[in-house]
Amino acid sequence: MVATLFIDGTWRQASDGGAHDVHSPHDQRVVATVSQATNTDVLDAVAAARASFDSGVFTSWTFKERSALVAKIADLLERDADLVARKESDDTGKRFIEAQYDIADVIATFRHFANLGAKERERSVDVGLAHVTSRIVHEPLGVASLIGPWNYPLLQIAWKVAPALVAGCSFIVKPSELTPQSAVALMKIIEEAGTPKGVANLILGPGSVVGTPLINDPRVDLVSFTGGLTTGQTIMTAAAKTIKKLALELGGKNPHIIFADADLDAAIDNAVTAAFLHSGQVCSAGTRLLVERSIHDRVVNEIVRRAGQIRLGGPDDVMAETGPLISAAHLRNVTEYVEKGIAEGATLLVGGKRSEALEHENGWYFLPTVLDNCVTTMNCVQEESFGPVMTVEVFDTEAQAIALGNDTVFGLSGGVWSSDSEKAARVAGALRHGTIWVNDFGPYRPQAEWGGYKQSGIGRELGEHGLGEYLEIKHIWTNNSPSRSGWFSDPAQGESQ
């Protein structure tokens, strides 16, 4: 029987014996069979996390001790990097080399938070009174539900687990049911590293089954979720009942602005990568191209040529440049998205359909697609496809480029290309997005905060603030020469002075 739930320090099956097959998006073969948790299992995991937190078994550790634990997890991940990458590649269908890059980023994330947690986290406040000591201290927030997506399964979980451990929280991890294997591998490493019983728990299954108690249970203090806007809105509504703290990263529709004075060769090459990396299944993908009118034809014609040459393939295809979509349902969604865009008046220049190549017949492959003649009123411009679909709009002035770039309910990321550094800085400053790349698109480092404006979410991951999401801030005022306050008169003691 399958025992891939980790609850209160024990690997166990689902309480009803339920299991779920995981299929490769590349060829539909079964790559794993995992337990599928029940509501009872989730409640057990929440109870274990709550009990461990309240017992002080982990909160009693110092920041430096917890940071050392996280550093050890990084070392163990490095030891098992290729094994974990293989699981990630199997689940997502992405190329094995891409999965290796992702696991390297996971390791870097754990090392970042290990280093950050080792720093002094207490500060004194000068209140102007010699007899008073005033301190600001940081304490673990409590029990956290950590819910991850399927596109970067372990990386997005690592952004949550690493700071939760450094902070001293207890938690329940819930990866996507489509991509659970790397989370199972991580939990085994967390156990091996010596994490106290009940601190780290793993639940597997669809959000429709296991998500509700992770969000609603009053014993949970924080919900950190990466995923779609609709689910994020549901979480916010549910969390309001118990005033939980939330950290939400809900995707984006990210403008990629190219001015006529840009290095066009570099801009075009980066635009292709920004839109079609991982078949567009990236929350920060630059799939909304805004190009100055005078260079429209030159830029778009070259992007179309490049897009038509992108080689699709599975995890072990050494010639492949990007892989399949995650599921049949997602393939249908992307197909309908393109069809609706064309119906709205967009012009299909390349792609727009499922790959018909024989080697892709069993997988969910969609051709890199460019839709031209788009305007902001179109759904294809405002909505996130989460697929390899670029929409193209034109602008004439700097002010128009800014207005178009901000004409979205989202605000996760954006890019600006210009050889005029002052103009680029003005545009970057005016765009209402959490990350702006200038003459680049896509790179990030764990040392820098990540998160969105507007409906792209609330809170931040990574950087220093990424740790702060898992901490409570307490002010401790100590009067070292206690005396009567003298505020109210006390006849028994005489008049107050």
Side-chain angles (χ1 to χ4, degrees), residues 24-28 354 357-365:
S24 167
H26 166 59
D27 56 12
Q28 297 312 296
R354 181 178 183 175
L358 183 62
E359 63 266 30
H360 301 152
E361 63 179 349
N362 294 323
W364 313 125
Y365 288 89

Side-chain angles (χ1 to χ4, degrees), residues 7-8 12 40 83 101 109 113 122 129-130 134 138 192 247 306 311 323 345 350-351 367 369 373 380 397 419 466 481:
I7 301 173
D8 201 18
R12 68 189 223 187
T40 298
L83 295 174
Y101 291 145
T109 296
F113 282 109
E122 181 178 317
L129 299 171
S134 179
H138 295 79
E192 181 183 349
R306 293 281 304 278
R311 179 179 171 85
V350 67
L367 297 174
T369 299
N373 298 317
C380 64
T397 66
S419 60
S481 297

Side-chain angles (χ1 to χ4, degrees), residues 406-429:
N406 286 331
D407 188 6
T408 169
V409 299
F410 295 106
L412 184 60
S413 68
V416 181
W417 287 82
S418 174
S419 60
D420 183 336
S421 60
E422 293 184 358
K423 178 169 66 177
R426 287 193 304 269
V427 175

